């Protein structure tokens, strides 16, 4: 998928992901969407997108997470989303997994809290949105993945809850991508 194709597909993806957010009840929490992420299967395509996005902003992180490079670009002009903009793009280079669809894959929302574990994040989310208990328990058609991804130099725990259905994914975590990147750059 080319950069131009991604930009043409953004409004449809944005609309679908916002509808999914409303269905989950996350939209009522007024959470900040700190970045959108892509899925790319081809290394050359990832390189081309890396270069194209670098011309649209500043690369603020080039880190290895789970064995593959992940680039974070802070856009000069954010992507329109809901009533605001998304300022950062996550571009993971291909790894061992082959994705059925390339292109926009997920957004990440910040639930401001002091959670350092997935259990604490789950409790904080349920405190604000108790109706998600059945989703988190696996009683719906929405897939839930709980994780604690960590970059090589990351010092800020950022557990993540991912809600997935029909090729859409919304992730919730306690810290913004920029705060996590800042933690990588802070020396003891």
């Amino acid at each position: 998928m080319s950069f131009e194709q991604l930009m043409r597909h953004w409004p449809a993806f944005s609309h679908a992901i916002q509808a999914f957010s409303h269905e989950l009840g996350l939209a009522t929490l007024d959470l900040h969407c700190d970045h959108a992420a892509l899925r790319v299967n081809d290394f050359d395509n990832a390189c081309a997108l890396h270069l194209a996005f670098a011309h649209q902003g500043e690369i603020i992180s080039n880190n290895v997470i789970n064995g593959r490079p992940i680039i974070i670009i802070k856009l000069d002009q954010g992507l329109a989303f809901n009533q605001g903009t998304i300022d950062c793009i996550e571009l993971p280079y291909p790894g061992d997994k082959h994705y059925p669809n390339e292109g926009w894959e997920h957004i990440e929302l910040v639930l401001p809290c002091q959670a350092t574990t997935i259990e604490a994040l789950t409790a904080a989310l349920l405190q604000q949105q108790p109706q998600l208990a059945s989703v988190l328990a696996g009683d719906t058609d929405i897939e839930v993945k709980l994780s604690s991804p960590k970059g090589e130099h990351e010092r800020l725990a950022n557990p993540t809850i991912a809600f997935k259905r029909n090729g859409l994914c919304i992730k919730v975590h306690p810290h913004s991508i920029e705060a996590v990147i800042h933690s990588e750059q802070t020396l003891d």
Side-chain angles (χ1 to χ4, degrees), residues 9 19 28 37 45 52 55 59 68 79 83 97 99 101 118 133 176 179 183 185:
H9 189 252
T28 62
N45 192 22
H55 286 23
I59 295 171
R68 64 186 174 144
L79 296 172
Q83 303 299 322
K97 185 175 180 180
Y99 295 95
N101 298 308
I118 198 65
S176 72
S183 81
Q185 298 167 346

Side-chain angles (χ1 to χ4, degrees), residues 85-186:
T85 60
I86 296 176
D87 296 324
C88 293
I89 301 297
E90 174 186 334
L91 171 59
Y93 271 71
D96 296 336
K97 185 175 180 180
H98 183 83
Y99 295 95
N101 298 308
E102 290 186 293
W104 299 111
E105 197 258 353
H106 71 263
I107 61 165
E108 299 201 19
L109 304 174
V110 178
L111 176 66
C113 65
Q114 298 303 311
T116 58
T117 66
I118 198 65
E119 295 80 12
L121 178 61
T122 301
L125 182 59
L126 285 173
Q127 183 178 13
Q128 292 194 35
Q129 216 48 300
Q131 81 279 3
L132 283 172
S134 62
V135 175
L136 290 165
D139 296 335
T140 69
D141 66 341
I142 298 168
E143 179 186 346
V144 177
K145 180 180 177 187
L146 308 175
S147 64
S148 295
K150 189 164 175 52
E152 283 186 85
H153 307 288
E154 202 169 293
R155 295 188 171 116
L156 186 62
N158 205 24
T160 303
I161 302 171
F163 300 96
K164 300 178 180 184
R165 187 176 64 200
N166 298 331
L168 295 174
C169 178
I170 296 174
K171 296 184 178 186
V172 177
H173 49 86
H175 303 290
S176 72
I177 192 71
E178 290 189 75
V180 172
I181 291 167
H182 185 317
S183 81
E184 296 169 351
Q185 298 167 346
T186 304

